[in-house]
Amino acid sequence: MDFTFPREMEKFRKLVREFGEEVVRPAAKAADEKHEVDMDVIRQAAAIGLLGVPFPQKYGGVGAGETGYCILMEELGKVCTSTATTIGAHIGIGAMSIYLDGTEAQKQKYLVPLARGEKLGAFALTEPNAGSDAASIKTKAVRDGDAYLLNGSKIYITNGPLADVISVLAVTDPTLGAHGGVTAFIGEKQFGIQVGTVEKKMGIRGSATSELIFEDVRIPAENVLGPVGLGFITFMKTLDTGRLTLGAATLGGAEEALRIAIDYARVREAFGKPIAHKQSIQFMIADMAAEVEALRSLVYRTAWMVEQGMPYTKEAGMCKLLGSQTASRNIHRALQILGALGYSRDFPVERMFRDARIAEIFEGTNEIQRIVIASQLFKEVGIRIRP
Amino acid sequence: MRIVVCVKQLYDPKMARVSQSRQSLDLRAAELIMNPMDLQALEEALHVREAVGGEVTVLSLGKPEADDVLLWSLAMGADAAYLASDERFSEADAGVTAHALAAAIRRIGDVDALFLGEYAADSAGGQMGARLAAMLRWSFLPALAQVFLTDGHLSGLSYLETTARRLLTPLPAVVTVYHRANKPRFPHGAAVINAYREGKVIVWDADDLDMTLEELAPQTLFRGYSLLPERELGTRLDGSAAEMATDLAAMLQGRRLLGGEA
């Protein structure tokens, strides 16, 4: 067993950490307050390859694999959850769906500019009455000559207002249900996909989330992603990697909370000495650190499993479940240790507290993650769970 | 056009702690980094290359792990990297270091300009540029910003003390780059991955550099640190503004820092 990172990964982390500290962190507060994406940060990230980290260099990526991608998300998760969300949705579900199931021609046409950061990606699954329950999708795709006409609407789409390339799931045969009846497509904003309501959010306000409206949007048949009728599989595979790297971003948030708590406990005095000397504080900090280490082990072992080509659906669900809980819990504890200072908008813990909550919800709620984990566990003993 | 940039690996001075005895430095928590001033020298050299073409070669002297600063330089865009490394350099002073670097520069060959950081953030000696210029018999331009190369000449603004002077010299020349000359670029992620995977650093020992025993003999001996005592906490004044002002005036007069009478 070897738990050390290869040297190039350590140095890639150094790059991302310095970029995070110098470029991302100083912009985080204003992006949250203005409730808009700081596109200058995204452009600077693109310029050094950070919008294509896991993809091979022949597709314009960094070639840092799943481990490098987790490193990116962990470091961004420390400094700005919104930026992690924008880049995570772009790489981890938008571009990733094309990388996983796209043809060579689709990869050249779409993955390369996405990986280079010349275009921004998004992933459109959720609808008003369907999300994890993909069989209930209402958006329809009807064949029309050498194209499909899409009608319907998608909601809560991260990067919706900004994305150029959007992977979208639609029903092609209503008689067949989720397996056989839904197809994934590569859409372009310029095909006529309209931006509907832009969400006003509690957290991750420095990312953009919106409705996307399809009214007779014509998508060429060559943009079908994966086999016709099997789009659900493409989307679920994509979400597996998304859940792992979301876990990595929550690891960053959980670590940042720990760092802030320790820094504060060292200097804040009560009853004549720093509160680091109080056991009530020590116990919270010890729990935070133990949970961070458990999460780190799970995240990077799962990344390793992906790179080995092993199945990792169960572990990805665990990364997302454990990660979102750990981040929320640690930030809650850090806020308690900081007291009123933690509650103040002048200090980043308040923003972190709001930002962390979404990780328990998006990319499949934690309840869905438990179903994913349980169904894998029962599958291992020969029982098929139906949601 | 070939520019050689000398880069140095050092312990991050921000993370070094002074021992209780004030006689030694605790470097256990300190990371090895590239001298920040050398990053600026490299950035300036890359900038010149982008303007006039040619190549940028990086050179360091240090232990084998100093290849780190060279690989990072390659990731930033340097074309080639050389490391002078030898057990016999373990006691090297500035003189031995300068002999080794000068020998390496001669061996690299066809060098038009040598860029260095203004000084090293650990020792802050700031003598390597001048020493190399003297050894190579090249002209020396210190603390330079806005470096330009035209028609076999190198020019720039030299920031010394409170003045900035525009200087021009024929090549070859040695330049130290002003510590606020530029903001070093971030390397591209793929360049970082490739540089560290490929590890293309050429290592030369003292024999490769044809160094004599005389050149290898340090002229100075490091005997230890004697660091300034820690500053003591000041006196805290209490009371109303008027009372504090009166107390302060009395204190300053007591130390003969203020004229007049209380």
PDB file of all heavy atoms in Angstrom, chain A residues 85-103:
ATOM      1  N   THR A  85     -18.447  24.823  -7.525  1.00  0.00           N
ATOM      2  CA  THR A  85     -19.708  24.383  -8.128  1.00  0.00           C
ATOM      3  C   THR A  85     -19.733  24.683  -9.633  1.00  0.00           C
ATOM      4  O   THR A  85     -20.104  23.824 -10.439  1.00  0.00           O
ATOM      5  CB  THR A  85     -20.887  25.085  -7.424  1.00  0.00           C
ATOM      6  OG1 THR A  85     -20.846  24.763  -6.032  1.00  0.00           O
ATOM      7  CG2 THR A  85     -22.210  24.642  -8.017  1.00  0.00           C
ATOM      8  N   THR A  86     -19.334  25.893  -9.994  1.00  0.00           N
ATOM      9  CA  THR A  86     -19.341  26.281 -11.416  1.00  0.00           C
ATOM     10  C   THR A  86     -18.399  25.382 -12.212  1.00  0.00           C
ATOM     11  O   THR A  86     -18.779  24.835 -13.254  1.00  0.00           O
ATOM     12  CB  THR A  86     -18.896  27.760 -11.558  1.00  0.00           C
ATOM     13  OG1 THR A  86     -19.779  28.573 -10.790  1.00  0.00           O
ATOM     14  CG2 THR A  86     -18.905  28.200 -13.015  1.00  0.00           C
ATOM     15  N   ILE A  87     -17.187  25.215 -11.709  1.00  0.00           N
ATOM     16  CA  ILE A  87     -16.203  24.406 -12.432  1.00  0.00           C
ATOM     17  C   ILE A  87     -16.567  22.926 -12.339  1.00  0.00           C
ATOM     18  O   ILE A  87     -16.418  22.171 -13.309  1.00  0.00           O
ATOM     19  CB  ILE A  87     -14.772  24.699 -11.897  1.00  0.00           C
ATOM     20  CG1 ILE A  87     -14.394  26.149 -12.237  1.00  0.00           C
ATOM     21  CG2 ILE A  87     -13.751  23.716 -12.475  1.00  0.00           C
ATOM     22  CD1 ILE A  87     -12.999  26.571 -11.790  1.00  0.00           C
ATOM     23  N   GLY A  88     -17.106  22.516 -11.203  1.00  0.00           N
ATOM     24  CA  GLY A  88     -17.515  21.119 -11.038  1.00  0.00           C
ATOM     25  C   GLY A  88     -18.639  20.734 -11.987  1.00  0.00           C
ATOM     26  O   GLY A  88     -18.614  19.655 -12.587  1.00  0.00           O
ATOM     27  N   ALA A  89     -19.628  21.613 -12.158  1.00  0.00           N
ATOM     28  CA  ALA A  89     -20.730  21.308 -13.078  1.00  0.00           C
ATOM     29  C   ALA A  89     -20.225  21.283 -14.522  1.00  0.00           C
ATOM     30  O   ALA A  89     -20.644  20.453 -15.336  1.00  0.00           O
ATOM     31  CB  ALA A  89     -21.850  22.345 -12.931  1.00  0.00           C
ATOM     32  N   HIS A  90     -19.301  22.189 -14.811  1.00  0.00           N
ATOM     33  CA  HIS A  90     -18.721  22.254 -16.165  1.00  0.00           C
ATOM     34  C   HIS A  90     -17.931  20.980 -16.492  1.00  0.00           C
ATOM     35  O   HIS A  90     -18.187  20.320 -17.495  1.00  0.00           O
ATOM     36  CB  HIS A  90     -17.816  23.489 -16.262  1.00  0.00           C
ATOM     37  CG  HIS A  90     -16.859  23.452 -17.409  1.00  0.00           C
ATOM     38  ND1 HIS A  90     -17.206  23.859 -18.672  1.00  0.00           N
ATOM     39  CD2 HIS A  90     -15.571  23.019 -17.485  1.00  0.00           C
ATOM     40  CE1 HIS A  90     -16.166  23.680 -19.489  1.00  0.00           C
ATOM     41  NE2 HIS A  90     -15.161  23.182 -18.785  1.00  0.00           N
ATOM     42  N   ILE A  91     -16.984  20.636 -15.611  1.00  0.00           N
ATOM     43  CA  ILE A  91     -16.129  19.472 -15.874  1.00  0.00           C
ATOM     44  C   ILE A  91     -16.865  18.175 -15.568  1.00  0.00           C
ATOM     45  O   ILE A  91     -16.963  17.284 -16.405  1.00  0.00           O
ATOM     46  CB  ILE A  91     -14.859  19.469 -14.982  1.00  0.00           C
ATOM     47  CG1 ILE A  91     -13.953  20.653 -15.261  1.00  0.00           C
ATOM     48  CG2 ILE A  91     -14.087  18.157 -15.161  1.00  0.00           C
ATOM     49  CD1 ILE A  91     -12.715  20.684 -14.348  1.00  0.00           C
ATOM     50  N   GLY A  92     -17.374  18.099 -14.338  1.00  0.00           N
ATOM     51  CA  GLY A  92     -17.719  16.811 -13.746  1.00  0.00           C
ATOM     52  C   GLY A  92     -18.983  16.195 -14.286  1.00  0.00           C
ATOM     53  O   GLY A  92     -19.139  14.961 -14.259  1.00  0.00           O
ATOM     54  N   ILE A  93     -19.910  17.036 -14.766  1.00  0.00           N
ATOM     55  CA  ILE A  93     -21.112  16.448 -15.334  1.00  0.00           C
ATOM     56  C   ILE A  93     -21.306  16.906 -16.781  1.00  0.00           C
ATOM     57  O   ILE A  93     -21.605  16.107 -17.640  1.00  0.00           O
ATOM     58  CB  ILE A  93     -22.364  16.682 -14.436  1.00  0.00           C
ATOM     59  CG1 ILE A  93     -22.445  18.111 -13.910  1.00  0.00           C
ATOM     60  CG2 ILE A  93     -22.344  15.707 -13.278  1.00  0.00           C
ATOM     61  CD1 ILE A  93     -23.652  18.375 -12.987  1.00  0.00           C
ATOM     62  N   GLY A  94     -21.054  18.218 -17.046  1.00  0.00           N
ATOM     63  CA  GLY A  94     -21.211  18.707 -18.425  1.00  0.00           C
ATOM     64  C   GLY A  94     -20.249  18.019 -19.383  1.00  0.00           C
ATOM     65  O   GLY A  94     -20.630  17.177 -20.203  1.00  0.00           O
ATOM     66  N   ALA A  95     -18.968  18.366 -19.276  1.00  0.00           N
ATOM     67  CA  ALA A  95     -17.968  17.798 -20.190  1.00  0.00           C
ATOM     68  C   ALA A  95     -17.788  16.297 -19.969  1.00  0.00           C
ATOM     69  O   ALA A  95     -17.540  15.540 -20.918  1.00  0.00           O
ATOM     70  CB  ALA A  95     -16.631  18.525 -19.993  1.00  0.00           C
ATOM     71  N   MET A  96     -17.926  15.858 -18.703  1.00  0.00           N
ATOM     72  CA  MET A  96     -17.670  14.447 -18.384  1.00  0.00           C
ATOM     73  C   MET A  96     -18.614  13.514 -19.149  1.00  0.00           C
ATOM     74  O   MET A  96     -18.213  12.441 -19.597  1.00  0.00           O
ATOM     75  CB  MET A  96     -17.812  14.218 -16.878  1.00  0.00           C
ATOM     76  CG  MET A  96     -17.440  12.831 -16.411  1.00  0.00           C
ATOM     77  SD  MET A  96     -15.698  12.381 -16.727  1.00  0.00           S
ATOM     78  CE  MET A  96     -14.853  13.265 -15.423  1.00  0.00           C
ATOM     79  N   SER A  97     -19.882  13.931 -19.319  1.00  0.00           N
ATOM     80  CA  SER A  97     -20.839  13.070 -20.028  1.00  0.00           C
ATOM     81  C   SER A  97     -20.356  12.831 -21.462  1.00  0.00           C
ATOM     82  O   SER A  97     -20.495  11.726 -21.993  1.00  0.00           O
ATOM     83  CB  SER A  97     -22.237  13.698 -20.006  1.00  0.00           C
ATOM     84  OG  SER A  97     -22.219  14.978 -20.616  1.00  0.00           O
ATOM     85  N   ILE A  98     -19.763  13.855 -22.057  1.00  0.00           N
ATOM     86  CA  ILE A  98     -19.269  13.721 -23.440  1.00  0.00           C
ATOM     87  C   ILE A  98     -17.994  12.881 -23.462  1.00  0.00           C
ATOM     88  O   ILE A  98     -17.792  12.050 -24.350  1.00  0.00           O
ATOM     89  CB  ILE A  98     -19.026  15.124 -24.061  1.00  0.00           C
ATOM     90  CG1 ILE A  98     -20.346  15.906 -24.084  1.00  0.00           C
ATOM     91  CG2 ILE A  98     -18.429  15.001 -25.469  1.00  0.00           C
ATOM     92  CD1 ILE A  98     -20.199  17.376 -24.441  1.00  0.00           C
ATOM     93  N   TYR A  99     -17.148  13.078 -22.458  1.00  0.00           N
ATOM     94  CA  TYR A  99     -15.924  12.274 -22.371  1.00  0.00           C
ATOM     95  C   TYR A  99     -16.259  10.792 -22.195  1.00  0.00           C
ATOM     96  O   TYR A  99     -15.653   9.931 -22.833  1.00  0.00           O
ATOM     97  CB  TYR A  99     -15.060  12.759 -21.207  1.00  0.00           C
ATOM     98  CG  TYR A  99     -13.838  11.903 -20.970  1.00  0.00           C
ATOM     99  CD1 TYR A  99     -12.857  11.775 -21.964  1.00  0.00           C
ATOM    100  CD2 TYR A  99     -13.664  11.224 -19.769  1.00  0.00           C
ATOM    101  CE1 TYR A  99     -11.750  10.978 -21.757  1.00  0.00           C
ATOM    102  CE2 TYR A  99     -12.556  10.435 -19.558  1.00  0.00           C
ATOM    103  CZ  TYR A  99     -11.593  10.306 -20.555  1.00  0.00           C
ATOM    104  OH  TYR A  99     -10.495   9.517 -20.354  1.00  0.00           O
ATOM    105  N   LEU A 100     -17.261  10.494 -21.364  1.00  0.00           N
ATOM    106  CA  LEU A 100     -17.582   9.092 -21.073  1.00  0.00           C
ATOM    107  C   LEU A 100     -18.257   8.390 -22.248  1.00  0.00           C
ATOM    108  O   LEU A 100     -17.929   7.246 -22.553  1.00  0.00           O
ATOM    109  CB  LEU A 100     -18.485   8.999 -19.827  1.00  0.00           C
ATOM    110  CG  LEU A 100     -17.839   9.354 -18.486  1.00  0.00           C
ATOM    111  CD1 LEU A 100     -18.876   9.317 -17.372  1.00  0.00           C
ATOM    112  CD2 LEU A 100     -16.684   8.401 -18.160  1.00  0.00           C
ATOM    113  N   ASP A 101     -19.205   9.053 -22.887  1.00  0.00           N
ATOM    114  CA  ASP A 101     -20.009   8.352 -23.890  1.00  0.00           C
ATOM    115  C   ASP A 101     -20.007   9.002 -25.266  1.00  0.00           C
ATOM    116  O   ASP A 101     -20.707   8.538 -26.161  1.00  0.00           O
ATOM    117  CB  ASP A 101     -21.453   8.196 -23.381  1.00  0.00           C
ATOM    118  CG  ASP A 101     -21.596   6.920 -22.545  1.00  0.00           C
ATOM    119  OD1 ASP A 101     -20.627   6.132 -22.504  1.00  0.00           O
ATOM    120  OD2 ASP A 101     -22.656   6.724 -21.931  1.00  0.00           O
ATOM    121  N   GLY A 102     -19.238  10.071 -25.453  1.00  0.00           N
ATOM    122  CA  GLY A 102     -19.226  10.726 -26.756  1.00  0.00           C
ATOM    123  C   GLY A 102     -18.433   9.931 -27.785  1.00  0.00           C
ATOM    124  O   GLY A 102     -17.535   9.171 -27.445  1.00  0.00           O
ATOM    125  N   THR A 103     -18.780  10.114 -29.061  1.00  0.00           N
ATOM    126  CA  THR A 103     -17.975   9.528 -30.140  1.00  0.00           C
ATOM    127  C   THR A 103     -16.711  10.382 -30.292  1.00  0.00           C
ATOM    128  O   THR A 103     -16.625  11.490 -29.754  1.00  0.00           O
ATOM    129  CB  THR A 103     -18.740   9.567 -31.470  1.00  0.00           C
ATOM    130  OG1 THR A 103     -18.976  10.956 -31.797  1.00  0.00           O
ATOM    131  CG2 THR A 103     -20.076   8.838 -31.383  1.00  0.00           C
TER     132      THR A 103
END
